[in-house]
Amino acid sequence: MRIKRIQPDVAKGEEQKKEDLTQVAAIINKYKGKKGNIIPLLQGTQNLFGYIPREAFIMISEEAGIPLNELYGVATFYAQFRLKPVGKHIVKVCHGTACHVQNATAVSVALEEALGVNDGETTPDGLFTLESVACLGCCSLAPVMMIGNDTFGKLTGKSAVNIIKEIKMKEKN
């Protein structure tokens, strides 16, 4: 199964919000000139914003002296990096072999319908991002999803949607 990477749709004119990059300067100063600094620079920046804004790539490139294409090359190679904002809750649905055999597709379809988004997208309210992942390492609980650090197993489409509804209720209160 091929996992779709989340990337900004610049061709369609998708705009990213402007972020305050003042804290990025401290990260750059910490790693500037050090060998193997690209991943720590990107990780630090993503920790600030939850993703790496385009303006941050440009700032890192100019101030740390790293070509922009190298930064984007690393950021698009590793699945840990995000190029656009994500929801407050990232819903990861496992599609590894055990989960696939136990009908993880039904879980994903039910979540897509309930959230009104496709795999890799974020709900308009910014509350949820839905992602298919290759394996969560919980094969005995298949099919499985993770939301934040919480793991939910032995799911059906209905039970997965009920978990989302509970989180929505808690967010309203």
Side-chain angles (χ1 to χ4, degrees):
M1 174 181 173
R2 179 105 169 111
I3 306 299
K4 183 181 176 188
R5 292 291 311 266
I6 300 173
Q7 296 183 7
D9 194 349
V10 178
K12 292 184 181 175
E14 184 176 301
E15 293 284 325
Q16 291 182 347
K17 65 181 180 176
K18 297 287 183 194
E19 300 286 1
D20 178 11
L21 300 177
T22 53
Q23 293 178 301
V24 176
I27 296 168
I28 294 170
N29 288 335
K30 182 176 180 180
Y31 295 106
K32 187 175 182 178
K34 293 186 179 176
K35 190 172 177 111
N37 63 354
I38 294 176
I39 290 177
L41 283 166
L42 295 175
Q43 287 172 329
T45 302
Q46 183 165 284
N47 286 341
L48 290 174
F49 306 111
Y51 75 108
I52 307 169
R54 184 178 193 284
E55 296 81 17
F57 276 107
I58 294 167
M59 182 179 183
I60 293 167
S61 175
E62 291 172 354
E63 295 188 20
I66 302 168
L68 198 53
N69 65 335
E70 284 186 39
L71 293 171
Y72 272 105
V74 171
T76 57
F77 179 79
Y78 293 104
Q80 69 175 301
F81 296 117
R82 301 178 185 284
L83 303 182
K84 70 178 188 179
V86 292
K88 181 176 180 181
H89 302 281
I90 299 174
V91 181
K92 297 177 183 178
V93 181
C94 181
H95 283 268
T97 303
C99 289
H100 176 74
V101 169
Q102 295 294 327
N103 207 7
T105 302
V107 173
S108 288
V109 168
L111 290 171
E112 286 176 357
E113 290 175 6
L115 295 171
V117 296
N118 293 318
D119 183 33
E121 294 179 344
T122 300
T123 57
D125 61 5
L127 203 53
F128 296 98
T129 296
L130 182 61
E131 292 183 346
S132 291
V133 296
C135 185
L136 291 173
C138 304
C139 301
S140 65
L141 299 175
V144 176
M145 75 176 177
M146 280 186 77
I147 302 175
N149 293 325
D150 297 323
T151 304
F152 304 91
K154 305 285 185 189
L155 295 171
T156 63
K158 185 177 180 179
S159 64
V161 170
N162 286 339
I163 292 165
I164 294 299
K165 286 179 182 177
E166 287 178 28
I167 293 170
K168 281 184 179 181
M169 294 279 281
K170 288 178 185 176
E171 288 292 332
K172 285 183 181 179
N173 296 331

